[in-house]
């Protein structure tokens, strides 16, 4: 009989898949918007409601990407054994494995019914 723990070429483990997806997200995650620099480019008299909404959207994206970066870094440390896995980290890993948008990200993001892969591609497009 085969040993279940041996590497018989049966594919990657759940943790490996999560780690791979985690690394891919972190690698593609853009830097935050420099709000001071962006706001300095638009004089006060030219700040129409559309410009103000654009500023607000930049701030919302910063909040979302900060949470994404923080939670993914925390999960990465947990997977390496450097941190104890918490219920939030477990929920994040389950979401990554099941291709669903994690709740902590949904709270800070725009409404979407898409799975994580499509949602993340859309997020990157919105940020650019």
């Amino acid at each position: 009989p085969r040993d279940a723990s041996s590497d018989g070429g049966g594919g990657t483990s759940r943790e490996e898949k999560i780690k791979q997806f985690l690394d891919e997200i972190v690698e593609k995650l853009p830097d935050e918007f420099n709000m001071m620099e962006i706001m300095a480019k638009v004089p006060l008299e030219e700040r129409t409601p559309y410009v103000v909404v654009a500023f607000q959207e930049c701030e919302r994206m910063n909040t979302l990407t900060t949470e994404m970066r923080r939670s993914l870094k925390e999960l990465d440390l947990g997977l390496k054994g450097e941190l104890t896995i918490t219920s939030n980290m477990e929920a994040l890993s389950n979401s990554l494995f099941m291709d669903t948008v994690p709740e902590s990200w949904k709270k800070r993001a725009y409404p979407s019914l898409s799975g994580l892969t499509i949602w993340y591609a859309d997020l990157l497009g919105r940020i650019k």
Side-chain angles (χ1 to χ4, degrees):
R2 281 193 194 159
D3 181 8
S5 64
S6 68
D7 189 17
T12 57
S13 73
R14 181 183 197 286
E15 286 77 20
E16 289 170 338
K17 287 181 182 179
I18 291 169
K19 175 71 170 125
Q20 183 180 16
F21 197 36
L22 182 153
D23 290 340
E24 184 179 320
I25 291 173
V26 170
E27 179 184 321
K28 293 180 182 177
L29 197 61
D31 293 332
E32 290 184 7
F33 293 107
N34 183 338
M35 293 306 297
M36 297 301 288
E37 183 180 309
I38 291 172
M39 293 175 85
K41 290 182 180 180
V42 182
L44 284 175
E45 59 275 359
E46 292 181 22
R47 292 189 183 179
T48 65
Y50 292 112
V51 173
V52 172
V53 168
F55 289 160
Q56 291 172 343
E57 285 301 308
C58 290
E59 289 172 349
R60 286 188 185 125
M61 289 297 170
N62 281 351
T63 302
L64 175 59
T65 56
T66 298
E67 170 59 18
M68 291 173 69
R69 197 172 280 108
R70 184 205 62 77
S71 60
L72 291 169
K73 181 178 181 181
E74 187 178 80
L75 179 59
D76 189 37
L77 291 173
L79 292 173
K80 290 177 183 175
E82 296 176 20
L83 286 178
T84 303
I85 300 284
T86 64
S87 59
N88 289 341
M89 293 161 70
E90 185 69 29
L92 176 59
S93 68
N94 288 337
S95 292
L96 293 176
F97 186 72
M98 301 298 288
D99 193 41
T100 59
V101 181
E103 283 300 318
S104 65
W105 299 359
K106 279 184 184 178
K107 291 176 187 175
R108 294 164 177 84
Y110 50 89
S112 176
L113 298 174
S114 300
L116 181 57
T117 306
I118 294 170
W119 178 87
Y120 188 63
D122 181 59
L123 174 70
L124 294 177
R126 287 174 183 238
I127 291 175
K128 288 181 182 181

